[in-house]
Amino acid sequence: MIREEHIPLAELTEDQLEALYVHIDSLTNAPVLRTCLVPGCLRQFDAMATMAGSRIRAEWSGEGWCTLGSGSIFPAGGHICPDHKDLVTDHWPRRLELPSGRWSVACPCGWSPVPQRWHRLVAALWEQHLLTENGALPAAPPVTDPEHRLPLGEHTEESLAELYDRLWDAEADVPELRSLARACSVGYSLTVPALLGAKTALENLRSRITVDSRDWAAGKLDAFLWAVLVGWNCENADPDHVHNDIDCAGDQTLWTIADQHNIPTDQTMQVSQHRWWIANAIRVAQQIEGDYVVTEGK
């Protein structure tokens, strides 16, 4: 390992000392950058600084970013910047393995590419679809367009095998889709009442805690309950909202409480995740209630 030259104290200058501090900081606080998975987007955020809750350069802030899970067409997952969150959410890609040993994509908008032998190819097709929906690329003609049907004289054994694969995929999809529809119906009828009941219980607990006059930051257990059920940080999702110490709780209160009780960083991050899941479950349940009311009104 090559080491920096050790300058004797008697010869050390202010500039050299400052350079030494800067070099140490660059090694101990090296950013771990993650790039938006939308093709052409160069936005990045510092994953390590975001998880640790430490200071981040403005252009590397993780605020508003979300993650594409490993169940998507990207085996290792991915990250989406705030500018493209709505776009990717509307076209959230789920990888499908077909009976013929090929792969396709289930997109919420109904788009589905021609099945591919290698699953990584569908990722590129989905990216093209995303750029088309975003207006960056012109729309491609459908695969059933007569202009894209080969005459008999131009067919090869390989292209004919492709047609039969598509036929067998479609035939196999019919019973699978029927089974999926039945399973979804049963799953919906079982999970929705449970989710709505859990939402009611959590909201009642939250209301009970917030009207109690005790100091919920004084004890470690009380601080934990408040963090999970209510949340120490401001949860205002308005894009124009700016955190401050006057109008809201800010975005660092959880870390202040954690320091007060000497709670380790990993446990603090875990509590933050617990709070996110509970808040997200309540929001989803509220959406289901809204949809249910609309349906009932019809």
Side-chain angles (χ1 to χ4, degrees), residues 101-261:
R102 300 192 301 167
W103 299 85
S104 188
V105 178
C107 185
C109 73
W111 172 84
S112 183
V114 174
Q116 303 294 321
R117 293 289 181 192
W118 192 39
H119 69 83
R120 289 186 180 272
L121 290 177
V122 298
L125 292 174
W126 176 79
E127 290 176 342
Q128 181 178 351
H129 168 64
L130 205 63
L131 293 175
T132 300
E133 293 296 324
N134 201 26
L137 290 176
V143 295
T144 55
D145 191 322
E147 294 182 2
H148 291 75
R149 296 180 181 179
L150 290 176
L152 177 59
E154 298 180 15
H155 265 291
T156 63
E157 290 294 337
E158 184 178 349
S159 63
L160 185 59
E162 169 72 18
L163 285 179
Y164 275 106
D165 280 342
R166 288 168 57 185
L167 172 62
W168 294 331
D169 288 342
E171 289 177 340
D173 280 346
V174 173
E176 286 192 1
L177 289 175
R178 288 175 180 168
S179 298
L180 177 61
R182 286 193 294 268
C184 288
S185 178
V186 172
Y188 185 87
S189 63
L190 292 176
T191 57
V192 167
L195 182 59
L196 295 181
K199 165 188 164 294
T200 301
L202 290 170
E203 287 182 329
N204 288 340
L205 282 173
R206 178 188 173 101
S207 299
R208 179 66 183 83
I209 286 178
T210 53
V211 298
D212 196 300
S213 60
R214 67 196 294 176
D215 183 3
W216 289 89
K220 186 175 181 179
L221 180 58
D222 286 347
F224 174 83
L225 291 175
W226 185 281
V228 174
L229 295 174
V230 182
W232 286 109
N233 291 341
C234 175
E235 297 181 351
N236 190 332
D238 187 343
D240 296 328
H241 177 73
V242 179
H243 295 304
N244 58 75
D245 296 331
I246 300 175
D247 301 323
C248 73
D251 59 351
Q252 297 296 316
T253 306
L254 174 62
W255 293 100
T256 302
I257 299 296
D259 289 341
Q260 176 182 326
H261 296 288

Side-chain angles (χ1 to χ4, degrees), residues 276-291:
W276 184 90
W277 280 114
I278 286 181
N280 186 61
I282 291 176
R283 282 194 296 269
V284 171
Q286 289 171 339
Q287 292 175 357
I288 292 175
E289 281 184 321
D291 293 341

